[in-house]
Amino acid sequence: MPWRRILAESVLIVASILLALAADAWWDSRGNRARERVLLGSMVDEFEASRPLLQDRVVLTRMMVAGNEALLELARTAGAAPIAVPDSLVISVLGGPTYEPTLNSLDAAMASGDIELIRSTRLRTELADWRRRLADTTEDELEVRRITNEQVVPLLGRSVSLAPYFARVLPWSEGETMEGADPRGVPTQLVMSSELVGVLSLRLFYARFAAVDLEELLASLDGIVVLLEDDLDP
């Protein structure tokens, strides 16, 4: 038998198969890299678009914490007597906003497994941490909302009609100055019961957590955008 020819043909066949496999792997890698770049670009756009709202929410939560603290300080110095409270402080303890970014690309990538297209282990870790931080932040914000709606509002409503204040929550949250002689707002007479002081203290406890969470979330967002842009560089 022509062993030499058979051996040469076998080598040629094996080489052809290996070459074909290498070409397929190269093509798949090229395709995955293209898909990765599309995913990274979409994430950059969405994270950058989400930043202004997050920055505004950091500022708003700081305002809520400051107002809650000031109201409690007035209550501690007044005892059981009615106290004059600036409208802005009453408004600061109403409502409970939550930060809900639109990150469709990240959500879809995690749900479909396309997150594995991202080759950077560090970036994948930071994105996972972002989702965890967002969940923790939302949990604290929802607790602030629950305490506000279920406990603070009913107790405050015993001293003053809150309807006019709710109408001013949104303008206050956007930084509009309250009208009146007092730069912080028009004084309102409130009776600060020990029960109201207690629920306001509980609200402040969770609001402070939410404020820290939002600040950390903002720092995490900025770090992720840097990593995304680095991975997009050729």
Side-chain angles (χ1 to χ4, degrees):
M1 295 182 65
W3 294 108
R4 184 175 297 178
R5 182 168 61 83
I6 293 174
L7 180 60
E9 290 177 352
S10 298
V11 170
L12 182 61
I13 291 171
V14 171
S16 299
I17 293 173
L18 292 176
L19 183 61
L21 292 174
D24 287 343
W26 174 83
W27 185 257
D28 288 343
S29 176
R30 182 182 177 90
N32 286 342
R33 177 55 179 159
R35 292 170 62 196
E36 180 193 26
R37 289 185 65 83
V38 171
L39 177 59
L40 295 176
S42 297
M43 286 186 182
V44 168
D45 292 341
E46 290 178 356
F47 272 106
E48 288 182 340
S50 298
R51 193 185 191 284
L53 178 58
L54 178 53
Q55 178 65 58
D56 290 345
R57 191 53 47 80
V58 169
V59 173
L60 174 58
T61 306
R62 289 173 181 165
M63 290 168 57
M64 291 169 55
V65 168
N68 203 147
E69 289 174 338
L71 184 55
L72 280 173
E73 185 60 29
L74 286 175
R76 293 189 184 101
T77 60
I83 57 174
V85 177
D87 280 9
S88 57
L89 298 190
V90 177
I91 294 170
S92 71
V93 296
L94 299 179
T98 58
Y99 173 63
E100 299 177 3
T102 301
L103 298 173
N104 296 329
S105 296
L106 176 59
D107 294 340
M110 287 188 163
S112 66
D114 281 353
I115 197 71
E116 296 300 325
L117 291 170
I118 299 176
R119 295 170 297 170
S120 170
T121 302
R122 181 183 176 188
L123 178 54
R124 292 200 306 271
T125 300
E126 289 295 327
L127 290 170
D129 284 345
W130 160 269
R131 299 301 302 179
R132 177 186 58 78
R133 291 178 189 274
L134 180 60
D136 290 343
T137 301
T138 302
E139 183 177 349
D140 289 331
E141 289 178 323
L142 288 175
E143 188 62 14
V144 171
R145 177 187 292 178
R146 186 193 67 78
I147 294 168
T148 301
N149 292 342
E150 296 180 7
Q151 300 179 64
V152 174
V153 169
L155 290 173
L156 274 177
R158 296 177 184 177
S159 294
V160 62
S161 173
L162 294 178
Y165 294 92
F166 278 113
R168 297 164 67 186
V169 168
L170 184 58
W172 175 83
S173 69
E174 295 175 348
E176 293 187 17
T177 304
M178 300 293 108
E179 296 181 358
D182 189 320
R184 296 178 301 171
V186 181
T188 297
Q189 294 294 318
L190 287 182
V191 176
M192 301 293 290
S193 65
S194 59
E195 187 178 8
L196 179 56
V197 170
V199 298
L200 286 174
S201 299
L202 182 61
R203 182 182 187 274
L204 178 59
F205 177 79
Y206 283 102
R208 283 172 172 163
F209 275 126
V212 172
D213 289 343
L214 287 164
E215 290 170 359
E216 291 179 349
L217 201 61
L218 180 60
S220 176
L221 184 151
D222 289 339
I224 286 173
V225 169
V226 172
L227 292 176
L228 287 167
E229 290 176 340
D230 287 345
D231 276 14
L232 275 171
D233 287 341

